[in-house]
Each structure stands twice: as C-alpha cells, then as structure tokens.
C-alpha cells in the first residue's frame, strides 16, 4: 500500500533467470483475517485483504527488502533499479528476460513471458474510465500524453492501442515512463502490489469477472476462492528462481531469519490457506487449537494472551501460558491513521455552514477516544492527531487535530447553533426538521462494543442514532456510492510518504479514497502544491495548513494508530512484521 530518495540496490534476494519449482508442496501455511476481500483485479481494489493476495500473485517492477529498516526498495522483475533523468521525470526500467506468467488457458497452452508492454497495459488500466479505479489518483495527470487519451475516451473504454509518450515500451524488455512533473514518490508507488503486471489476453478472456481471475508472474497462483470465506494459493511452477540472500540488521530476529532461510529458494511453502473468520473468539480458538499457523491477536483475547504494562499499556509481552508452548509474539506500530468520517455531501451532516460544522464538532467532542483506546484497544494504540501518522514522512508530532473530550461543551455548542431539544427529548435540525444520524457498522461482537460507546454519546447529546449494518466489503461499496452518513475507516500506508495520507481528503478523490467526499478549494490547492515538493520543511508547512483546514471543517473524527500483535506457532520460521509488505508468505517456512 514509497519515498523521494532513491535507494541503492542492495538486493534482498539473488534472482536468477531460470524458472524453478522451489516450494515444498507438502507444506501448508494457514492463516486468517477478520474481514472479507473484495476481489483480485489490481485496478479495481484498494482494500488490504485483497492486496494481501495480489502481493503474492502479481509482480511490481520493484519491491522492498524483507529485513531492511527503514524500508529499502530493491529490483523485482527488473535487472536493477531504473535509470532516472537529471530532472527526475524520465524513468527507464530493464525487464528481466525469462520471467513468465503462471500458466492459464488464456495463453492457449503457450508459455507467456513478461515484457515491457505488459506494464504499459497494466498501468493504463488505472486510468480507464470504465474501470473507475480507486487508485487512479496515483497516475492521473502525471504521465505525458495520457490525459489526452483519457479525455478522448470520455465515459467509454480507453483505447489501449493509442501510443502514449509517457508510458512506452522502447523494446521488448525496456519500459520508459515520462512524467509531466517530478514525482518524488514514483518509485514507492510502483512498488505497490496493485501495480503488478497483468496480461492483456487474460483480462480480455475474463472480462466478465476479472476480479476472480488474477494471473501474474508472482510466486503463487489463485487455486481456490470462496468469496468471504476461504482463499487458497499454490506455488507457481512458472515462478523464476529466487534465492533468499538477505543481510541481517542489528535485530536479533533478523539474524535468526537469515540463519533459517539463507540460501533457500523462494517460495518455501507450497500452499497458503487464508480463511475469513469474522468473530474474534472463534479466530483465536482456531489458532489456540493449532488450526492456524499465525494470526493477529484480537481485542477479545488480549488480556489472556498479553502481559500489558499497566504503567505504559503500549508495552506488552507474551503471557507465560503461551510462551511456554513456544509461541512467538511479533509487535509493530502500524503506519496507519484511523478515523470516523462524515459524508460531506449528506444534507444533515455535510456542508460548510457554521451550524453543520458545529454539529460535526460537537459529535467529535463527545467521542471518548482515550477511553476506547484503554478499553476496546486494550491500550494497544496511540491517539491520532495528524492526517499523516508517525513513521511516515511528513508527520508532525506536535500538531493536535483531535478535539478535547467535553460533553458539556458539545451540548452547549449544539444549543448555540439552533439544534433544539424537542418534546420527544431529541434535537432537531436548526430548520426544525428531524435530526437522525445513521452510522455504518459491522455485525461482530467488537462492532457492538464500539456502538455502545457511540450510543452512549449520542444519547448524551440528545441526537437520534441509527445503524446501517453490513459486512465490511458491503459497507465499503456503500461508502464509495455516498450512501453512508458516518463510518469508521483505516488507512494503511501504501508507501511511507505523507502524500499517501494527505490525498485522503483531496477533492478529486471523492468517492474513492476520500470517503468523506470532502471538497475544499484551499485544501486542494495546497495538496497540489505539495506534490511538487520533496519531503522537508517547505512541504511540511503546507501539510500543517491542510491539517488546520481539516480541524476547522471537521470532516473526520481522529481516533488512533494501532500497535499490532501477531503470534506464530513454534513451527513457523522466517516471520517478521513489515510495515509495507502485508503478506510476506514467500519468506515463511513451516516445519
């Protein structure tokens, strides 16, 4: 889900051109997540759970070293990191010959080699009006000549055969990208799983349901998919030979991983089984009963699994009960921002009038963020006070975007702006119309806990609250269609730069990553100006001004950034949480 400075190519893996069946097909890695995926067409999805699969099926041009900290870019399907022009606008990549797509009927029984044209086609798909990609903003307006092709398409399909100067295959293995302006994050963007190459003949063969047929050059192939229930991957016989040869850092875990994996051909495990288990208790029981090899520690069992430091709840160790079983605990503060958003197009909670801002501000003031961190999060989170989270370039630790919890002041604010309490004990809108706010909500036990806090707050504010219940992927669809008044959301870093977070409130992204549908001309102007600057004081000043606009308009209620706790069974080797690689399955072994 990467930074202005280009990193020297210190390879995390030695890649050889011949293909090899590396994996032991008798080995199975089993894991689970709580929320369902939405599909596997890289141009159509932006959720974490879908991208975990894409990360292992598709191949972007570049990727990340598994062990390096801070994150370091390395070549993936290219011989080396690209050559870049002096003005930072022209990137030239040399595709590694002998890289093949996994076998598929769309190829007519022939081996299909990866070539530069595959990336040309794949990147163009993000700007096809008929696809309406949620990640179109990453390429929109950036490639020389591409705007004209998009404009010519109107609302119809893109003409993929129209030559574009900004995205061109110079020869079979040479890809050249030419940008209109210097983009200090281009390399990090291209490392995202969604920018892995797809083959045109595959997309055209399965055009009625491209989400169900991902075919790439990555280490695994999709073997089975039961939507919202189970996903099975198997090692691809076509995957090129990649030998693990990473160098450990100072972390003792790194040295252990290198000792266990050095010289092994990747991937090691032949089969990956990922289940969707929405309730926390059954998820943990599956792990405790050794039906899962690794899993995130959920809120419902944190008190049992973790020894949490009462003086500093962000510190925790594994309880003796599980440590004695050889289970390992892995912790990582996420590069994420969690928030609740208001639909700024909604006639009740949206708009920029003083009374609408007052309503949103009062609701924000009534939310007990510190209490929910202590109770629901079990202390495994820190308050979010800036759009860009800690650990991401552009974060300002001294800024305070979160409002102070004060129910009395929140009620006084509502009184002041005409939200009167009627005969039924609930407030009306300033125009006398009923005021009823509906919040999107999941159906699990933990969702009920969050709803209890919200209900208590809304009762205290004398505002009627309703819920729009649904599965996570259903609510995401409703959000994109503007059918939710309020909903809680998380954004994980696609790449470790503030641009990836500040775009969440950019007007042109309304309905995609901008779930709040926030449109402010000054915010947009500042965001567009920030795109021309590298990370540094000048850009940070713009970010501060943008955060001030968000504080003034209150399209979000800032909540927290979580600390993840992941546990692995004793037989799992090679696991280390990575801030940007969400499913490092190719590096794992089960013994």
């Amino acid at each position: 889900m990467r930074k202005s400075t280009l990193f020297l190519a210190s390879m995390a893996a030695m890649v050889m051109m011949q293909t090899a069946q590396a994996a032991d097909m008798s080995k199975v890695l089993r894991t689970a997540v709580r929320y369902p995926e939405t599909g596997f067409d890289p141009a159509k999805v932006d959720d974490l759970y879908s991208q975990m699969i894409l990360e292992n099926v598709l191949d972007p041009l570049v990727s990340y070293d598994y062990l390096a900290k801070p994150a370091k870019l390395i070549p993936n399907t290219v011989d080396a990191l690209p050559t870049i022009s002096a003005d930072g606008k022209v990137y030239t990549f040399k595709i590694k010959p002998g890289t093949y797509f996994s076998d598929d009927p769309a190829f007519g029984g022939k081996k299909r080699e990866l070539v530069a044209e595959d990336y040309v086609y794949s990147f163009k798909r993000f700007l096809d009006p008929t696809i309406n990609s949620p990640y179109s903003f990453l390429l929109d307006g950036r490639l020389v000549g591409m705007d004209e092709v998009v404009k010519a398409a109107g609302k119809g399909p893109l003409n993929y055969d129209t030559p574009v100067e900004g995205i061109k295959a110079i020869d079979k293995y040479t890809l050249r990208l030419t940008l209109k302006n210097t983009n200090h994050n281009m390399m990090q963007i291209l490392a995202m799983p969604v920018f892995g190459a797809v083959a045109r003949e595959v997309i055209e063969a399965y055009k009625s349901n491209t989400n169900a047929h991902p075919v790439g050059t990555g280490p695994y192939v999709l073997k089975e998919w039961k939507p919202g229930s189970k996903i099975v991957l198997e090692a691809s016989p076509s995957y090129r030979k990649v030998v693990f040869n990473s160098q450990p850092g100072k972390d003792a875990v790194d040295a252990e991983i290198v000792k266990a994996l050095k010289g092994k051909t990747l991937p090691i495990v032949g089969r990956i089984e990922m289940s969707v288990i929405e309730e926390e208790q059954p998820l943990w029981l599956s792990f405790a009963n050794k039906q899962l090899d690794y899993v995130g520690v959920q809120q419902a069992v944190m008190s049992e699994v973790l020894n949490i430091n009462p003086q500093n709840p962000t510190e925790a160790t594994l309880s003796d009960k599980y440590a004695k079983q050889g289970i390992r605990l892995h912790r990582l503060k996420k590069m994420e921002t969690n928030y609740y958003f208001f639909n700024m197009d909604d006639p009740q909670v949206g708009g920029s009038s003083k009374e609408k801002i007052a309503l949103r501000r009062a609701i924000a003031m009534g939310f007990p963020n510190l209490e929910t961190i202590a109770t629901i999060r079990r202390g495994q989170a820190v308050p979010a006070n800036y759009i860009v989270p800690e650990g991401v370039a552009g974060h300002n630790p001294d800024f305070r975007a979160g409002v102070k919890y004060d129910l009395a002041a929140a009620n006084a604010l509502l009184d002041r702006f005409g939200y009167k309490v009627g005969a039924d004990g609930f407030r009306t809108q300033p125009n006398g119309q009923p005021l009823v706010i509906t919040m999107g909500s999941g159906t699990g036990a933990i969702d009920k806990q969050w709803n209890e806090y919200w209900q208590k707050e809304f009762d205290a504010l004398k505002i009627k609250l309703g819920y729009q219940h649904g599965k996570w992927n259903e609510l995401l669809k409703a959000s994109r269609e503007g059918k939710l008044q309020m909903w809680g959301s998380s954004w994980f870093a696609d790449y470790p730069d503030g641009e990836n977070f500040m775009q969440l409130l950019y007007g042109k992204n309304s309905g995609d990553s901008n779930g709040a549908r926030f449109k402010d001309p000054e915010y947009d102007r500042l965001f567009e100006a920030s795109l021309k600057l590298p990370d540094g004081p000048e850009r940070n000043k713009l970010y501060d001004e943008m955060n001030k606009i968000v504080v003034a308009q209150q399209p979000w209620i800032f909540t927290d950034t979580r600390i993840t706790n992941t546990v692995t069974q004793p037989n799992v080797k090679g696991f280390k949480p990575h801030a940007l690689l969400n499913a490092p399955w190719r590096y794992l072994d089960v013994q």
Side-chain angles (χ1 to χ4, degrees):
M1 328 208 128
R2 273 171 205 233
K3 182 172 172 181
S4 59
T5 303
L6 293 180
F7 299 98
L8 296 176
S10 164
M11 294 285 288
M14 185 188 307
V15 181
M16 303 176 189
M17 288 185 289
Q18 70 269 30
T19 60
Q21 177 63 61
D24 183 340
M25 300 307 292
S26 68
K27 291 185 174 182
V28 181
L29 179 74
R30 301 156 303 170
T31 187
V33 294
R34 287 191 54 234
Y35 299 104
E37 71 296 329
T38 58
F40 310 118
D41 184 332
K44 294 180 179 179
V45 301
D46 66 346
D47 63 284
L48 170 65
Y49 314 102
S50 299
Q51 291 197 47
M52 290 173 71
I53 303 303
L54 293 178
E55 186 177 304
N56 288 278
V57 172
L58 305 184
D59 261 330
L61 293 159
V62 294
S63 186
Y64 288 97
D65 185 302
Y66 185 41
L67 300 182
K69 191 175 182 179
K72 182 171 71 174
L73 286 166
I74 57 171
N76 190 34
T77 59
V78 289
D79 286 325
L81 293 180
T83 58
I84 304 174
S85 63
D87 61 4
K89 296 181 181 179
V90 182
Y91 292 68
T92 303
F93 297 86
K94 292 289 186 178
I95 310 297
K96 194 184 284 78
T99 298
Y100 291 92
F101 283 93
S102 298
D103 294 339
D104 189 88
F107 299 134
K110 299 178 181 179
K111 296 293 292 182
R112 174 64 157 77
E113 188 178 19
L114 174 71
V115 295
E117 280 289 355
D118 293 316
Y119 284 105
V120 173
Y121 174 75
S122 300
F123 294 170
K124 284 181 176 180
R125 292 189 71 235
F126 286 86
L127 298 172
D128 188 329
T130 62
I131 292 177
N132 190 28
S133 173
Y135 275 125
S136 62
F137 68 90
L138 291 171
L139 298 180
D140 187 22
R142 294 185 174 182
L143 298 166
V144 171
M146 196 65 206
D147 289 355
E148 291 77 5
V149 178
V150 174
K151 184 178 180 180
K155 295 183 179 180
L158 197 74
N159 185 342
Y160 289 92
D161 297 317
T162 302
V164 177
E165 181 62 28
I167 178 170
K168 179 182 290 188
I170 303 304
D171 56 41
K172 185 175 183 180
Y173 300 115
T174 305
L175 173 70
R176 187 178 69 199
L177 303 179
T178 304
L179 310 181
K180 291 182 178 180
N181 301 292
T182 302
N183 185 321
H184 302 281
N185 292 311
M186 196 64 197
M187 286 287 288
Q188 287 88 342
I189 289 170
L190 295 178
M192 292 169 56
V194 295
F195 287 108
V198 298
R200 184 170 183 172
E201 52 265 58
V202 170
I203 297 298
E204 292 179 348
Y206 302 112
K207 59 184 177 181
S208 63
N209 190 9
T210 55
N211 263 323
H213 298 278
V215 178
T217 61
Y220 289 97
V221 298
L222 180 65
K223 187 67 174 179
E224 179 184 345
W225 181 30
K226 296 179 180 178
S229 176
K230 186 177 182 179
I231 302 165
V232 176
L233 302 182
E234 285 190 354
S236 171
S238 303
Y239 189 55
R240 62 196 178 278
K241 188 172 184 180
V242 179
V243 178
F244 185 89
N245 191 29
S246 186
Q247 300 301 313
K250 296 180 180 179
D251 190 338
V253 174
D254 287 6
E256 184 180 321
I257 291 173
V258 169
K259 182 179 179 180
L261 302 184
K262 188 171 183 178
K264 290 190 175 182
T265 305
L266 306 178
I268 301 168
V269 173
R271 183 177 171 95
I272 309 292
E273 296 180 357
M274 188 174 87
S275 302
V276 178
I277 306 176
E278 297 190 36
E279 290 294 343
E280 295 187 349
Q281 286 286 1
L283 179 61
W284 177 253
L285 287 174
S286 294
F287 177 82
N289 293 331
K290 297 183 170 32
Q291 296 168 339
L292 297 175
D293 294 303
Y294 84 90
V295 73
V297 180
Q298 304 298 315
Q299 176 261 7
V301 297
M302 280 184 182
S303 298
E304 174 190 350
V305 178
L306 303 178
N307 293 319
I308 299 173
N309 184 345
Q311 279 71 46
N312 183 2
T314 60
E315 297 177 356
T317 57
L318 189 65
S319 69
D320 291 344
K321 174 183 177 181
Y322 295 103
K324 289 177 180 177
Q325 297 177 32
I327 291 169
R328 303 283 297 272
L329 174 67
H330 312 265
R331 288 166 54 79
L332 178 72
K333 182 182 286 186
K334 287 190 173 184
M335 292 181 181
E336 70 166 7
T337 297
N338 294 316
Y339 55 93
Y340 282 84
F341 66 78
F342 297 96
N343 181 347
M344 298 295 283
D345 287 341
D346 183 81
Q348 289 194 83
V349 300
S352 57
S353 64
K354 290 182 179 180
E355 63 269 17
K356 295 301 176 60
I357 294 173
L359 174 63
R360 297 192 296 269
R361 180 69 47 77
I363 294 172
M365 292 167 66
F367 182 71
N369 192 39
L370 294 180
E371 186 176 348
T372 59
I373 288 175
T375 56
I376 297 180
R377 300 293 197 204
R378 300 292 196 263
Q380 303 302 289
V382 295
N385 282 296
Y386 202 71
I387 299 171
V388 180
E390 180 184 349
V392 175
H395 173 69
N396 183 349
D398 300 320
F399 197 95
R400 291 291 177 269
V403 298
K404 182 180 178 181
Y405 174 64
D406 191 334
L407 273 174
N411 273 296
L413 186 62
L414 292 171
D415 292 339
R416 177 185 171 190
F417 282 90
Y419 291 92
K420 297 179 181 179
V421 179
D424 61 356
F426 290 99
R427 295 184 185 274
T428 62
Q429 298 181 60
N431 61 8
Q433 293 296 311
L435 176 62
V436 181
I437 294 176
T438 303
M439 181 177 294
S441 172
T443 57
I446 194 169
D447 298 296
K448 294 176 182 177
Q449 293 182 43
W450 286 104
N451 292 348
E452 287 174 4
Y453 274 99
W454 281 112
Q455 191 65 60
K456 183 178 178 180
E457 175 199 339
F458 273 68
D459 286 347
L461 295 178
K462 301 178 180 63
I463 298 174
K464 287 184 179 179
L465 175 64
Y467 297 100
Q468 184 171 334
H469 294 286
K471 291 183 178 294
W472 181 85
N473 52 350
E474 296 169 345
L475 293 170
L476 179 62
K477 183 176 184 292
S479 171
R480 288 175 176 163
E481 294 172 351
K483 296 178 180 178
L484 295 179
Q485 278 189 313
M486 284 185 70
W487 191 36
S489 189
S490 300
W491 189 267
F492 310 114
D494 294 307
Y495 50 96
D497 188 83
E499 174 195 340
N500 188 235
F501 288 85
M502 301 306 293
Q503 61 82 23
L504 293 171
L505 290 160
Y506 181 46
K508 288 186 178 180
N509 296 339
S510 176
D512 288 326
S513 56
N514 181 355
R517 311 176 88 83
F518 181 66
K519 307 176 191 72
D520 182 89
E522 181 61 9
Y523 185 100
D524 290 353
R525 185 189 70 80
L526 292 168
F527 178 73
E528 290 167 359
S530 74
L531 295 177
K532 301 175 183 178
L533 299 172
D535 175 37
E538 187 177 358
R539 192 182 71 164
N540 290 347
K541 288 180 180 178
L542 300 184
Y543 281 3
D544 284 353
E545 291 303 310
M546 295 159 73
N547 274 270
K548 290 176 183 177
I549 291 171
V550 172
V551 169
Q553 294 287 326
Q554 201 76 60
W556 280 9
I557 298 173
F558 287 80
T559 57
D560 54 32
T561 293
R562 290 168 290 182
I563 299 166
T564 63
N565 295 277
T566 304
V567 285
T568 54
Q569 299 284 5
N571 66 316
V572 176
K573 307 298 180 184
F575 183 86
K576 182 180 181 180
H578 193 286
L580 297 163
L581 298 175
N582 297 303
W585 297 329
R586 72 191 71 190
Y587 301 105
L588 305 189
D589 192 6
V590 289
Q591 298 176 349

